[in-house]
Amino acid sequence: MGATGIIFRREFRAYTRSPMGYIVAAVVLLLDGILFYAIALGPDAGERLSGAVLGIFLYFASGLTAVAAVALSIRLIAEERQAGTQLLLDTSPVRDWEIVAGKFLSALAFLSAITFATLYMPLLILVNGKIAVGHVVIGYLGLTFLGGAVLSIGLFATALTRHQLVAAAIASVITGTLFLLWPLSQNIGPPLSRVFAAIAIHGRHWAGFQSGLLHIRDVVYYLAVTYFFLFAATKVMEAKRWE
């Protein structure tokens, strides 16, 4: 097993053994359940088509996924520095990109487990309605891509500092800004409106997944954001190794 695999297993076990992982999972599942109940069984539910119910659920689930991704990512490197174990990694024959990859994949695996634990909720729509299986698959694929992108932002933030609260603040500011670019693009004129819409992490690039439509440009966008921030995190760790 390579270094990335060893770090992946170590970090994934840390999520399953720490209260933080279970708290994040419980909060996401609880809020997703409440939101689904309100959307699918609330007073206005009878006026919505099944596909619209699924789309609204995915919309709110995307926000919770982003928040969960920030919460899960901020401990990845900052906690190592607080505990004094980062020095062991820095002096070991493990490359920085392997550390970043292992930690990112462990967080993505745990976040994906939480996300797919909510899968039964949209499937309940089939009891009294009809939805396309492809819509569900693409929607959850979008949640995975969005979660991965936000996790990479959080990993970059936690590489910058040893304090988890500071990392949370940095990750929240970056993620919040990327979210806000979409509504800003709707209220300003070109060319800034086109630029903001193109780089916004939600809105234009999320709309297709929410509607059950898979566009290659949206997949490429989320992969590019993920790669950019993982690359930046690697460079930050390389710089700090020599401090």
Side-chain angles (χ1 to χ4, degrees):
M1 179 181 294
T4 298
I6 294 172
I7 293 172
F8 170 85
R9 291 182 59 186
R10 171 177 174 264
E11 294 297 327
F12 191 83
R13 283 198 300 266
Y15 281 121
T16 59
R17 293 175 179 176
S18 69
M20 183 62 181
Y22 290 104
I23 290 172
V24 172
V27 170
V28 171
L29 292 174
L30 175 63
L31 293 180
D32 269 338
I34 293 172
L35 289 169
F36 178 77
Y37 178 85
I39 296 165
L41 301 174
D44 299 326
E47 301 175 4
R48 300 190 184 106
L49 298 175
S50 298
V53 171
L54 177 57
I56 297 171
F57 171 75
L58 290 172
Y59 177 82
F60 287 111
S62 66
L64 288 173
T65 297
V67 173
V70 171
L72 292 173
S73 62
I74 58 174
R75 57 159 293 275
L76 288 173
I77 299 175
E79 188 176 71
E80 297 273 11
R81 294 191 178 124
Q82 287 181 334
T85 54
Q86 182 64 35
L87 181 61
L88 296 176
L89 288 176
D90 289 342
T91 56
S92 66
V94 181
R95 288 168 289 188
D96 291 302
W97 72 264
E98 293 176 317
I99 297 173
V100 169
K103 288 177 175 291
F104 170 75
L105 291 174
S106 67
L108 182 61
F110 192 79
L111 179 62
S112 297
I114 297 173
T115 301
F116 284 97
T118 68
L119 187 58
Y120 75 93
M121 297 179 193
L123 293 181
L124 287 174
I125 300 173
L126 293 173
V127 175
N128 294 312
K130 294 182 180 179
I131 54 173
V133 175
H135 191 172
V136 177
V137 172
I138 292 173
Y140 273 75
L141 183 64
L143 291 176
T144 304
F145 280 127
L146 175 63
V150 178
L151 281 173
S152 69
I153 294 171
L155 186 54
F156 167 71
T158 193
L160 293 173
T161 176
R162 63 182 299 164
H163 303 290
Q164 294 187 45
L165 288 178
V166 176
I170 295 172
S172 298
V173 168
I174 296 174
T175 304
T177 300
L178 290 175
F179 265 81
L180 288 173
L181 287 177
W182 174 250
L184 282 175
S185 71
Q186 307 302 299
N187 293 283
I188 60 176
L192 279 180
S193 61
R194 291 193 292 267
V195 174
F196 285 1
I199 62 178
I201 203 169
H202 208 263
R204 173 183 171 185
H205 294 294
W206 171 251
F209 292 109
Q210 182 181 336
S211 303
L213 302 173
L214 184 62
H215 298 292
I216 298 300
R217 68 158 192 260
D218 300 330
V219 175
V220 170
Y221 167 81
Y222 283 116
L223 292 178
V225 170
T226 302
Y227 175 80
F228 174 81
F229 281 102
L230 290 181
F231 179 79
T234 302
K235 291 303 178 183
V236 169
M237 290 190 64
E238 288 176 354
K240 287 185 176 291
R241 183 186 286 262
W242 298 105
E243 286 182 355

